[in-house]
Amino acid sequence: MKNLLYFTLMSIFAVATFTSCSSDKSNAEEFDWVIDTFDDVKIIRYQVPGFAELPLQQKQLIYYLSEAALCGRDIMFDQNFKYNLAIRRTLEGVYNNHKGERESAEWLAFEKYLKKVWFANGIHHHYSGDKFIPEFSQDYFTKLVKGVPADKLPTELGSVEELLATLTPIIFDPTLYAVKINQKEGEDLLQTSAMNYYEGLTQAEAEAFYNGITDANDPTPISYGLNSKLVKENGKAVEKVYKVGGMYGPAIEQIVFWLEKAAGVADATQRPIIEKLIEYYRTGDLEAFDAFNILWVQDTESNIDFVNGFTENYGDPLGRKGAWEGIVNYRDEKATERTRIISANAQWFEDHSPIDPKFRKPEVKGISAKVINNAILAGDAYPATPIGINLPNADWIRRDYGSKSVTIQNITNAYAEAAKGNGSNEEFVLREEDRERMAQWGALADNLHTDLHECLGHGSGQLAPGVKGDELKQYSSTLEEARADLFSLYFMADPKMIELGIVPNEDVYKALYSSNILNGLMTQLSRIEPGKNIEEAHMRDRKLIAEWCYEHGKADNVIEYVKKDGKTYVVVNDFEALRGLFGELLREVQRIKSEGDFEAGKALVERYGVVVEPELHAEVLERYNALGIQPYGGFINPTYTPVTDKDGNITDVEVSYTQSYWEQMLDYSQNYSFLPTLN
Ligand code: ZN
């Protein structure tokens, strides 16, 4: 599970309280954080503080694991949509070989479209999942493609004419493959979604296939379907497994090559973990994947850590298939202190959770939490990346072995630096006292919210006997995120937090409450196109919480809409009462999860989490546009260059921050692209 950064007002004035070392601050002054903006995104460069001081062995490990991560990039494109690689390669073929002008409005529109395709790992918006349509004409596209030597285009789709015949409607017809993931209850979610995890089957057929191989009574069920595409062949449902020699084999072979190098420099703790992952990639055996996760989750000491594999299932409308993801990171020692305190007290939080006592975990196991800095981002985590992660996802491994939870400090810091002084705080926060609290405590509150969400929230609670955990279907992601958020929001205001020395005063939770409600009810609407509703799970979660609390606190005016000078504001009038409401809703969401109550979960999400009020939406968009803020951010990676001696041994790894967005994307497409155009 991952925690995505929403646009927080607090980040704007993020103070340096939690930058990990003082040298960051001096860097921050000259460093160009935002290196590109287009459409609704900004591209941010993140730093890797302390990398240069790591021991050689750890630098080598980061380097090899980073190479392993970059090699999987194409997989994510293909998983998102079958023709994404064909489209990307065609666009890159044009970009690299275009001989004509590069200044006209149509050419600039072409460049913008290519940047968007890179950013989204395909032709559907990375967050909303809606297909975006180019701002240049079909004729222009035809002219561009025909101007490129045929051997610079993906030849798997036939002649240039055939390539154009296939791709043109896919790119330009707004009704074709319009959404990546459809979640509308009552429609066939597979036939109406463009994602590439299933082909040629109805939803009912896919569900029947997996129901047929799942044993409801297995206490340690393997994650059926996680690493495969389900297709229909000769009238039968068959899995095409992602592995060496299987689907995505050419990319996975490269990943394995670098993992072997990594295993070669890893210590006695990490070597068997990496070797188990290699075994899984070679065999595609999901039991090996479970074995890998069990080893991985128990390694809480290593300074370097990684995610490499088919991981999150948000991209599958049935919540089963794993999107390929690669992350390499190292611990931020100083900031990790606060998460050590939280995880050491995990049982206290569980025992005091406002949920029905029978759904509390009697014994909280192995919650390990740390604050990390990312060293590389790839696949599902690139360029748009989470700010917190909690893995593994298999419920039974979490139950029996615990989970690892991270807050990603250098990404949060980069967001905060990139957002400084953009004016939205002044625009949307009515009361001076709230603005001041956010400015002073926002960064700390944000980071702690991620800590609690990941470290305690996702891991808390237990299912009732006989409940499998997949009953909530398309509502499960939203409800799970809401559960983790509510757990965090509720406890952030607990006197225990001050007692433990994690927060200095009550202003921290008040800053968090104000910004969460404001974001859930108003500011996050800046990410939604006019006329659309909310689809993304984290956004639905935040809207659900804020709307529910607004309605249930209305009689006491806990949350209030205030109109001033024709503008709408949201204020929290009673912070304590709001905390009570968070607790009440947490109790209900936990009950829904624990009992697998699909109907109640559906009612909650559909009533509070989805529908956008058009007038308020229009106002938010107008005020945002006036500020010129991009609501989304994504990141480019540093470049790691090994320094070798005359025998080829790596004696150091140097890090640089010089690549532009264009350079990095073209570099990756040229040097880390291993898959055929159609898989
Ligand atoms: Zn989460």
Side-chain angles (χ1 to χ4, degrees), residues 33 75 77 106 181 251 299 341 402 406 426 457 495 527 570-571 591 616 666:
W33 296 93
I75 298 174
F77 275 85
E106 285 215 296
I181 312 142
D299 172 25
I341 298 171
V406 301
E426 289 81 354
R527 299 178 148 201
V570 176
V571 293
R591 184 199 65 75
L616 183 63
L666 290 168

Side-chain angles (χ1 to χ4, degrees), residues 24-144:
D24 290 354
K25 272 190 271 175
S26 56
N27 285 348
E29 279 156 22
E30 310 118 41
F31 198 76
D32 259 339
W33 296 93
V34 178
I35 61 162
D36 204 351
T37 58
F38 49 90
D39 204 42
D40 56 357
V41 302
K42 54 179 170 284
I43 303 294
I44 307 165
R45 202 192 291 284
Y46 66 92
Q47 294 183 332
V48 286
F51 178 86
E53 286 80 48
L54 293 173
L56 176 60
Q57 179 264 346
Q58 295 190 11
K59 285 184 185 172
Q60 291 171 325
L61 191 56
I62 286 179
Y63 173 69
Y64 291 136
L65 289 171
S66 293
E67 291 294 307
L70 294 176
C71 290
R73 176 171 178 251
D74 281 357
I75 298 174
M76 185 75 262
F77 275 85
D78 194 74
Q79 287 182 313
N80 276 337
F81 176 51
K82 187 178 173 166
Y83 292 102
N84 275 340
L85 285 172
I87 292 168
R88 190 191 85 199
R89 286 172 182 166
T90 302
L91 299 173
E92 287 168 350
V94 169
Y95 183 82
N96 289 328
N97 299 285
H98 182 63
K99 297 277 187 285
E101 53 72 38
R102 288 184 181 248
E103 286 86 34
S104 71
E106 285 215 296
W107 175 261
L108 295 177
F110 170 82
E111 287 191 345
K112 179 175 167 187
Y113 183 69
L114 174 53
K115 285 192 202 183
K116 287 170 72 170
V117 169
W118 281 332
F119 191 88
N121 292 299
I123 61 169
H124 299 89
H125 189 275
H126 77 287
Y127 214 78
S128 72
D130 293 333
K131 187 168 86 170
F132 40 82
I133 306 297
E135 294 162 33
F136 51 87
S137 68
Q138 289 190 34
D139 287 347
Y140 186 68
F141 179 65
T142 305
K143 197 181 98 188
L144 287 177

